[in-house]
Amino acid sequence: MTGPARPRVLLAPVTVTPSKPLTPSHLKGLLWADVMYRATAPLAEVTYRYSHTTYHPTEQTLGFWEFLDRTHGDIDYSGLSETEIGELYVAYRGEGATATAGDMRPYADAVERTGFVHPASALVLRLWAGHYERLGLYDPGLLTHQPPGYGLEEMVSDLVSAGLGLDQRRLGGPVYLDATRFGLPLRQIITAEGRPNYLACALRELLPLAPRYDEIAVLYDRELDPDYQLLERVLAQRGPTVRRVPIGRVPIEGRITSARHGGWHGHTVDALLRTLGDHCSPEALRLGVRLYFIAGLGPGQRESFRHELLRRSIARAGQLLERAGNQPDEPTVRRTPSQLTRLLEPHRRDHLHIDPYRLTSSLLKRGRTPSRPLLSEVFL
């Protein structure tokens, strides 16, 4: 005899384009998603969908690849750093010219047919995998070919048949996502030349998955909120509850700028790991970055990144780990599913997933000695 089925949760964070170094803003989003996934997993069947394959067909990625081949030819990227790849990306954005749909079509076809990844982006993904390992981040498949469930035309047909798409390509126009019945504006998702934007890619990924889940949690940059309101409405028509989780960026010296403009030297994840790694244990590093980027910075974007506060969080993490290590080895503190459930449930609120901010902040309550199982399962 089996018990009741566990709820099914799909966790779908927005991806980071593999064309530049990971910055504090990127790291904040990745840590937020990691804690949400690992904390929700004891309570539900959770799928962490994070596919770079799905988003490679956007102009942001294909245009960069075309730029690299046009301006640098068939060079060896293996000896370059993330920063050097990022400088090439800044140069691409500074060029001002946008590759045409025809220029990018061979790359788009290669992505669809063979899972092609340009050597520069493949290198960046390999370097990121190393960062994930050091930070204890769950790897949802950085180096794996994970095509979306729908082809582009299949996605458009699905939207049109549901009354949520407007396809004007036969008239020489674009394709729109049409959620006007919900009071939301038309949103172009495919140009007249056939080039999809990231929202079209997200729909290819999530539309076929949505009916399988009870809840979908989408994590994204606050600046994308209008598009994610659209995505919420469309996915909710397939049955699941959709939870939007906007996460603010991390200002650097009071300024929030896109990574495409540079300005991240000295603040990349690679630089932070080189600075911090020799001064703390791997466990304190993993817990400390979560304390700072989740509990310390919170979901907003008012607080600038501060090295000294990150170091202070890592020192605090070392103290918490020491206190947790001094707990007696009794049945009440052993790793059991029922104990984890009791520890995690208060941070669920009215949704199925665990709120990373509430959970991580709870570790910082005065006099709190965190549970060793909780630390092991969620934060380390």
Side-chain angles (χ1 to χ4, degrees):
M1 183 175 180
T2 60
R6 300 209 306 165
R8 297 160 298 170
V9 176
L10 175 63
L11 175 59
V14 66
T15 60
V16 182
T17 306
S19 55
K20 50 196 173 290
L22 292 175
T23 67
S25 290
H26 299 139
L27 182 56
K28 179 180 176 181
L30 293 172
L31 291 167
W32 208 280
D34 180 75
V35 170
M36 182 182 289
Y37 170 70
R38 295 168 64 187
T40 305
L43 307 176
E45 298 297 330
V46 188
T47 300
Y48 188 149
R49 183 67 180 181
Y50 191 85
S51 165
H52 285 284
T53 309
T54 295
Y55 295 90
H56 284 331
T58 61
E59 178 272 332
Q60 186 177 8
T61 298
L62 298 188
F64 179 49
W65 294 355
E66 188 276 338
F67 167 82
L68 291 176
D69 289 348
R70 172 167 48 83
T71 59
H72 291 76
D74 187 20
I75 67 171
D76 181 9
Y77 291 92
S78 61
L80 298 186
S81 66
E82 284 174 85
T83 298
E84 289 168 321
I85 298 292
E87 289 168 347
L88 293 173
Y89 183 69
V90 172
Y92 156 60
R93 286 302 187 183
E95 184 184 49
T98 301
T100 67
D103 293 333
M104 292 185 284
R105 187 163 295 117
Y107 297 92
D109 290 345
V111 170
E112 298 287 351
R113 290 196 318 268
T114 67
F116 169 77
V117 182
H118 191 278
S121 289
L123 170 64
V124 169
L125 289 170
R126 289 195 298 272
L127 294 172
W128 287 359
H131 299 335
Y132 272 52
E133 184 176 359
R134 288 208 49 199
L135 292 168
L137 290 165
Y138 171 77
D139 184 349
L142 289 181
L143 306 180
T144 305
H145 176 53
Q146 301 182 80
Y150 275 172
L152 194 63
E153 294 304 320
E154 192 175 5
M155 181 272 292
V156 172
S157 177
D158 186 300
L159 287 177
V160 171
S161 64
L164 293 166
L166 182 60
D167 186 356
Q168 296 188 330
R169 288 175 296 176
R170 286 183 296 177
L171 304 174
V175 178
Y176 294 94
L177 177 61
D178 182 5
T180 52
R181 64 171 128 161
F182 304 115
L184 298 172
L186 284 173
R187 173 68 158 100
Q188 180 178 303
I189 57 174
I190 303 175
T191 66
E193 298 77 27
R195 189 173 69 238
N197 64 13
Y198 82 95
L199 185 54
C201 295
L203 289 164
R204 287 183 60 185
E205 175 111 283
L206 299 177
L207 277 174
L209 292 175
R212 307 177 195 174
Y213 294 91
D214 301 298
E215 179 178 283
I216 299 177
V218 288
L219 289 77
Y220 59 93
D221 186 329
R222 285 181 178 273
E223 294 187 5
L224 302 177
D225 200 64
D227 282 346
Y228 273 82
Q229 290 183 39
L230 287 166
L231 192 62
E232 175 189 10
R233 288 288 190 174
V234 173
L235 296 178
Q237 300 305 299
R238 305 305 165 96
T241 299
V242 181
R243 305 289 187 179
R244 291 184 292 112
V245 185
I247 301 172
R249 296 185 183 185
V250 181
I252 303 296
E253 297 178 354
R255 298 179 57 205
I256 297 176
T257 58
S258 171
R260 70 180 62 184
H261 302 304
W264 21 253
H265 292 80
H267 293 90
T268 66
V269 170
D270 181 56
L272 294 179
L273 288 175
R274 288 199 307 270
T275 301
L276 300 169
D278 296 334
H279 302 287
C280 61
S281 70
E283 293 78 12
L285 174 67
R286 292 176 175 185
L287 179 57
V289 294
R290 287 161 173 80
L291 293 177
Y292 178 65
F293 282 96
I294 300 175
L297 294 177
Q301 55 187 35
R302 291 185 301 177
E303 299 293 330
S304 288
F305 175 79
R306 294 173 59 183
H307 283 279
E308 70 274 15
L309 292 184
L310 174 57
R311 288 192 291 270
R312 192 178 301 172
S313 291
I314 292 173
R316 180 73 178 275
Q319 296 168 0
L320 290 173
L321 288 165
E322 184 177 2
R323 291 214 304 267
N326 290 332
Q327 292 183 85
D329 188 14
E330 298 174 356
T332 55
V333 296
R334 288 178 184 161
R335 184 179 307 175
T336 64
S338 60
Q339 184 209 12
L340 282 175
T341 298
R342 290 194 302 273
L343 292 170
L344 294 167
E345 279 285 5
H347 309 290
R348 197 178 225 174
R349 297 198 297 182
D350 61 342
H351 38 64
L352 297 178
H353 68 269
I354 295 298
D355 183 327
Y357 178 70
R358 289 169 58 95
L359 175 61
T360 307
S361 298
S362 72
L363 300 181
L364 300 177
K365 291 181 178 179
R366 186 178 298 275
R368 176 74 178 270
T369 298
S371 158
R372 282 184 295 178
L374 180 64
L375 294 179
S376 298
E377 296 295 324
V378 177
F379 294 100
L380 303 179

